């Protein structure tokens, strides 16, 4: 039963005495391709390898923060117009944006894709059309506006997925199967089971291609700093085969934490613009399903806040052991829960232990690291799972930093300072 003592009073007393280790700022160097100096030129060059359609063309654009996405879309639209086509953008993001047409258009605007930047209309709807079934009987859907167009092109980043492993994961193939299918299509694919999704997605994409509407996929590969370094146009009839080696290339370029074993990982912000699961499980090692694995071994994970771009969608907070009241209070439950209902994965939306502030959140995580003294805890703090060039590490990791030629200390050990409200300064 509830006690009459003020909320958190006993917990504050317990955590106030937890010793906080000192932290040093380090930087990791990686062998990463240089960013494209001319994104629009790269798009135009890539398009020379495919047949550019005429008539009305739906350009599917997703919900992730793809590097240079506004320029990529604008360049594609420009070429389509030059060839006499009538392009328009459609949100291809499943149930994201709170599963509303307005919400999905807002997501695109946040990413920099609008009628003004793209140079063509943006037509958002949650209506979809059933276009067929996979050999296993899984229903496949397509955005109604896209289905009514003469041709469809999807634009997406190729990247390892956060919840399954397959020959193709995140990329144009998945966008055709799930993103362009809106909520009904995304739920249909996920409902077939995570154990089979690596087969269901390519099968569903083939159904979309067999409509004869899909012209090609425009794939973007990013370097370690989230900058596009390569753009590839893949014809629809060769989508899966051509995407697979690009995924292997993307896996090698994925920036990760330089440590295999940690006591605590602190992530300043999570959000759908960073990863489908808020914080990339390929970085944290905390996966929402059993269909994927890998990454570091981390005893306790702390999430501090949400990005503004995520619009309250806190999908992925369930991967943490502790979150702040600031994060929990910013959570928009309906949009977050829609993710779970569509993907059939409730674990990422479960609310972990909530602490009033950052100081108490870290102290709580340290308290729950059994057999580890707070002063000797191996801790890493990052801004988010995309920003991994620089990070704060506790003193217990500095010996390992010195042995790793990829790492260098930028600022020496210092205390993590908190204001009166417990927020780090």
């Amino acid at each position: 039963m509830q006690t009459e003592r003020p909320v958190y009073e006993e917990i504050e007393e317990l955590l106030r005495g937890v010793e906080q280790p000192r932290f040093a700022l380090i930087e990791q160097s990686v062998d990463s391709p240089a960013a494209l100096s001319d994104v629009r030129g790269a798009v135009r060059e890539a398009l020379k390898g495919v047949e550019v359609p005429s008539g009305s063309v739906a350009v599917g654009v997703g919900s992730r923060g793809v590097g240079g996405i506004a320029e990529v879309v604008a360049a594609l639209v420009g070429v389509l117009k030059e060839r006499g086509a009538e392009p328009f953008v459609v949100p291809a993001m499943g149930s994201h944006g709170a599963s509303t047409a307005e919400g999905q258009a807002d997501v695109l605007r946040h990413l920099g894709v609008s009628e003004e930047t793209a140079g063509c209309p943006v037509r958002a709807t949650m209506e979809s059309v059933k276009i067929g079934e996979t050999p296993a009987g899984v229903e496949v859907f397509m955005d109604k506006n896209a289905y009514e167009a003469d041709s469809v092109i999807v634009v997406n980043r190729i990247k390892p997925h956060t919840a399954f492993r397959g020959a193709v994961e995140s990329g144009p193939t998945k966008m055709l199967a799930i993103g362009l299918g809106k909520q009904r299509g995304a739920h249909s694919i996920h409902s077939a089971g995570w154990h089979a999704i690596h087969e269901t997605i390519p099968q569903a994409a083939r159904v979309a291609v067999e409509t004869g509407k899909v012209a090609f996929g425009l794939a973007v590969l990013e370097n370690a700093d989230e900058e596009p370094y390569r753009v590839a146009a893949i014809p629809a009839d060769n989508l899966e085969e051509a995407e697979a080696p690009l995924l292997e290339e993307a896996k090698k370029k994925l920036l990760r934490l330089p440590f295999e074993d940690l006591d605590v990982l602190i992530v300043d912000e999570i959000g759908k613009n960073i990863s489908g699961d808020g914080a990339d499980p390929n970085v944290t090692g905390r996966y929402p399903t059993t269909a994927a694995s890998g990454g570091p071994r981390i005893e306790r994970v702390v999430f501090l806040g949400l990005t503004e771009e995520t619009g309250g969608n806190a999908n992925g907070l369930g991967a943490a052991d502790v979150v702040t009241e600031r994060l929990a209070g910013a959570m928009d439950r309906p949009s977050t829960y829609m993710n779970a209902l569509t993907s059939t994965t409730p674990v990422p939306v479960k609310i972990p232990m909530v602490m009033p502030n950052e100081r108490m959140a870290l102290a709580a995580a340290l308290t729950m690291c059994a057999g580890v003294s707070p002063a000797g805890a191996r801790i890493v703090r990052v801004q988010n799972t995309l920003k991994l060039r620089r990070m704060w590490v506790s003193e217990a990791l500095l010996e390992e930093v010195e042995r790793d030629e990829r790492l260098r200390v930028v600022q020496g050990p210092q205390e993590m300072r908190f204001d009166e409200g417990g927020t780090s300064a």
Side-chain angles (χ1 to χ4, degrees):
M1 59 180 290
Q2 287 282 78
T3 65
E4 294 182 1
R5 299 190 65 183
V7 177
Y8 290 119
E9 185 176 304
E10 291 185 19
I11 294 175
E12 286 179 346
E13 185 176 340
L14 171 67
L15 299 181
R16 190 176 296 117
V18 175
E19 182 181 0
Q20 303 274 356
R22 298 199 304 167
F23 289 81
L25 180 64
I26 70 165
E27 183 176 72
Q28 67 169 324
S29 62
V30 293
D31 182 16
S32 185
L36 289 170
S37 59
D38 181 8
V39 173
R40 296 188 183 224
V43 171
R44 287 180 170 273
E45 185 64 29
L47 294 178
K48 292 179 181 179
V50 293
E51 183 177 348
V52 177
S54 58
S56 60
V57 182
V59 178
V61 184
S63 58
R64 301 288 183 265
V66 180
I69 187 62
E71 288 184 282
V72 171
V73 173
L76 171 59
V77 168
V79 172
L80 288 169
K81 284 183 171 181
E82 289 171 9
R83 304 293 175 85
E86 299 174 1
F88 61 94
V89 169
V90 296
M93 58 184 76
S95 66
H96 300 174
S99 202
T100 67
E102 297 78 9
Q104 295 204 338
D106 283 341
V107 169
L108 290 185
R109 275 192 290 273
H110 276 299
L111 298 175
V113 179
S114 64
E115 293 193 10
E116 293 74 26
T117 62
C120 70
V122 174
R123 299 176 186 169
T125 181
M126 290 308 296
E127 291 186 69
S128 58
V129 177
K130 180 181 175 181
I131 58 175
E133 296 182 0
T134 70
V138 179
E139 294 183 322
V140 183
F141 295 83
M142 182 179 286
D143 175 288
K144 185 174 183 291
N145 288 330
Y147 182 76
E148 292 176 350
D150 295 319
S151 302
V152 174
I153 298 170
V154 288
V155 183
N156 201 5
R157 168 176 56 198
I158 292 181
K159 190 176 182 181
H161 198 270
T162 61
F164 76 92
R165 294 288 176 257
V168 294
E169 296 177 18
S170 288
T173 298
K174 176 175 174 283
M175 180 175 277
L176 281 178
I178 294 179
L180 205 60
K182 317 309 287 191
Q183 196 279 333
R184 290 176 70 192
H187 183 260
S188 178
I189 302 300
H190 289 108
S191 293
W194 283 98
H195 67 286
I197 200 167
H198 64 290
E199 297 174 341
T200 306
I201 285 176
Q203 291 171 354
R206 288 181 210 127
V207 172
V209 171
E210 287 168 2
T211 64
K213 290 184 173 295
V214 183
F216 57 85
L218 194 61
V220 178
L221 275 76
E222 295 177 351
N223 62 20
D225 296 306
E226 311 159 64
E227 302 164 327
Y229 73 87
R230 182 178 176 184
V231 179
I234 309 172
D237 58 3
N238 192 39
L239 198 59
E240 184 180 348
E241 293 77 8
E243 188 177 326
L246 293 177
L247 172 62
E248 292 306 309
E249 181 178 336
K251 286 180 178 179
K252 294 175 182 177
K253 301 297 186 293
L254 182 67
L255 193 56
R256 304 174 189 270
L257 294 173
F259 308 102
E260 293 297 323
D261 291 279
L262 295 174
D263 296 310
V264 180
L265 171 65
I266 307 167
V267 182
D268 286 358
E269 59 182 7
I270 66 170
K272 294 292 289 185
N273 60 308
I274 295 169
S275 168
D277 286 279
D280 191 345
N282 293 297
V283 173
T284 66
R286 297 283 183 98
Y287 291 88
T289 75
T290 57
S293 61
R297 293 173 293 275
I298 302 174
E299 184 70 13
R300 299 293 173 225
V301 174
V302 180
F303 293 158
L304 301 181
L306 295 180
T307 64
E308 181 180 349
E309 293 87 348
T310 199
N313 189 328
N315 188 59
L317 87 163
D321 300 293
V322 188
V323 298
T324 63
E325 187 65 58
R326 172 165 61 89
L327 187 156
M331 174 183 178
D332 180 88
R333 295 191 181 188
S335 63
T336 304
Y337 293 162
M338 182 59 77
N339 257 106
L341 294 169
T342 301
S343 66
T344 71
T345 51
V347 172
V349 303
K350 290 185 176 180
I351 299 177
M353 180 182 293
V354 178
M355 285 290 137
N357 55 53
E358 296 178 12
R359 179 184 58 77
M360 289 182 64
L362 175 55
L366 286 169
T367 300
M368 294 186 289
C369 288
V372 178
S373 68
R378 296 164 58 86
I379 308 172
V380 169
R381 179 173 182 175
V382 299
Q383 180 181 339
N384 57 54
T385 54
L386 288 177
K387 305 284 188 182
L388 299 177
R389 284 279 193 180
R390 289 190 171 194
M391 62 196 74
W392 292 92
V393 303
S394 61
E395 283 186 287
L397 285 167
L398 289 182
E399 185 176 335
E400 189 169 333
V401 169
E402 292 175 3
R403 295 196 304 265
D404 193 330
E405 61 182 16
R406 300 169 302 166
L407 306 177
R408 73 178 185 92
V409 176
V410 178
Q411 293 182 28
Q414 55 191 270
E415 293 183 358
M416 187 179 294
R417 296 182 176 83
F418 299 92
D419 62 21
E420 292 183 0
T423 299
S424 55

